[in-house]
Amino acid sequence: AQTVTQSQPEMSVQEAETVTLSCTYDTSENNYYLFWYKQPPSRQMILVIRQEAYKQQNATENRFSVNFQKAAKSFSLKISDSQLGDTAMYFCASHTDKLIFGTGTRLQVFP
Amino acid sequence: DTGVSQDPRHKITKRGQNVTFRCDPISEHNRLYWYRQTLGQGPEFLTYFQNEAQLEKSRLLSDRFSAERPKGSFSTLEIQRTEQGDSAMYLCASSLTFLADTYELYFGPGTRLTVT
């Protein structure tokens, strides 16, 4: 079975600071993908960053980067230089044949 | 690129009524997914299609739920004899599984169902 766990229901960070969101997952597959999705208030889900499990190099997308620890099945998201527009629910997800989400972390960025 | 669209955006119905939602995926996408999301929770997988074939249906999904994708394009999700526990946001997503092989899902805006 495929599971994703996010242990931080809520996080807050001051504008321009750095914040890290945690995620652990479990899968018996060797080939899988990991994702972080962002869901702003009352808006639709959009992709933040993607990591292929066979790649050792951590993915980065501008201010967003991941720390992928395959052996530990850990996949954390680091947001640098936080902006007010980063305020949203963040979902970690794993994909083998379908995408399975964690319960989410609500991130609030304060001025 | 028109993105994934869903109709209606909001639906209020009385308990016991049937409801049907429609999803139009991005035109070249061969996979289509349905998820349910309750307030403050992550999306919960319901079912998915590859072209017109329904490949998997969640065991959490009761027999009151049915989904179709008759021509491999748009999809419908029907809930029969609605219950208050069915109140949720129903999300549709689509993806392209070959060529890029990225498995990135593109989500629609969702249909919010309220059962009174």
Side-chain angles (χ1 to χ4, degrees):
Chain A
Q2 204 177 325
T3 61
V4 178
T5 302
Q6 293 180 252
S7 58
Q8 303 158 314
E10 295 185 359
M11 295 280 286
S12 62
V13 64
Q14 197 157 21
E15 202 174 7
E17 296 297 307
T18 296
V19 64
T20 298
L21 308 184
S22 301
C23 172
T24 58
Y25 64 93
D26 193 17
T27 178
S28 56
E29 301 291 328
N30 288 322
N31 297 321
Y32 55 92
Y33 291 76
L34 299 169
F35 300 84
W36 280 96
Y37 276 84
K38 169 184 177 181
Q39 189 175 39
S42 300
R43 296 180 62 185
Q44 62 200 76
M45 194 90 69
I46 57 174
L47 179 67
V48 174
I49 196 164
R50 173 182 56 242
Q51 174 79 42
E52 292 89 343
Y54 61 85
K55 289 187 177 179
Q56 291 186 336
Q57 186 173 6
N58 289 325
T60 62
E61 286 287 341
N62 301 313
R63 298 183 294 108
F64 299 88
S65 61
V66 299
N67 183 4
F68 174 45
Q69 301 291 325
K70 191 172 184 177
K73 294 184 176 177
S74 170
F75 183 61
S76 61
L77 174 70
K78 186 171 81 170
I79 306 174
S80 304
D81 186 26
S82 297
Q83 300 176 359
L84 296 178
D86 295 333
T87 293
M89 284 289 290
Y90 286 82
F91 294 100
C92 178
S94 73
H95 187 291
T96 52
D97 59 338
K98 58 186 178 289
L99 195 65
I100 300 298
F101 289 87
T103 52
T105 296
R106 182 177 303 280
L107 177 67
Q108 180 73 50
V109 181
F110 290 98
Chain B
D1 181 6
T2 56
V4 178
S5 61
Q6 292 186 244
D7 182 68
R9 296 290 304 277
H10 303 273
K11 179 70 177 180
I12 300 174
T13 190
K14 292 184 177 179
R15 187 178 56 178
Q17 297 294 306
N18 299 344
V19 294
T20 300
F21 309 142
R22 177 182 169 119
C23 171
D24 287 89
I26 293 172
S27 59
E28 66 270 23
H29 283 186
N30 62 331
R31 281 203 174 181
L32 187 147
Y33 300 78
W34 285 99
Y35 287 84
R36 177 172 61 192
Q37 186 178 24
T38 53
L39 197 62
Q41 298 297 312
E44 175 188 33
F45 170 77
L46 295 180
T47 188
Y48 83 97
F49 294 83
Q50 180 150 314
N51 300 313
E52 66 275 8
Q54 187 173 19
L55 296 189
E56 186 170 344
K57 184 176 177 180
S58 169
R59 284 173 288 181
L60 300 175
L61 214 58
S62 76
D63 291 342
R64 297 184 297 106
F65 288 73
S66 62
E68 293 184 340
R69 195 184 183 195
K71 296 183 179 180
S73 56
F74 73 92
S75 175
T76 58
L77 176 68
E78 181 183 17
I79 309 174
Q80 296 182 329
R81 305 181 302 282
T82 52
E83 302 172 356
Q84 287 188 323
D86 297 332
S87 295
M89 177 74 86
Y90 289 84
L91 297 172
C92 176
S94 68
S95 72
L96 189 63
T97 56
F98 49 88
L99 297 179
D101 205 28
T102 64
Y103 299 106
E104 177 180 347
L105 268 63
Y106 293 79
F107 282 84
T111 293
R112 181 169 297 283
L113 173 66
T114 302
V115 181
T116 62

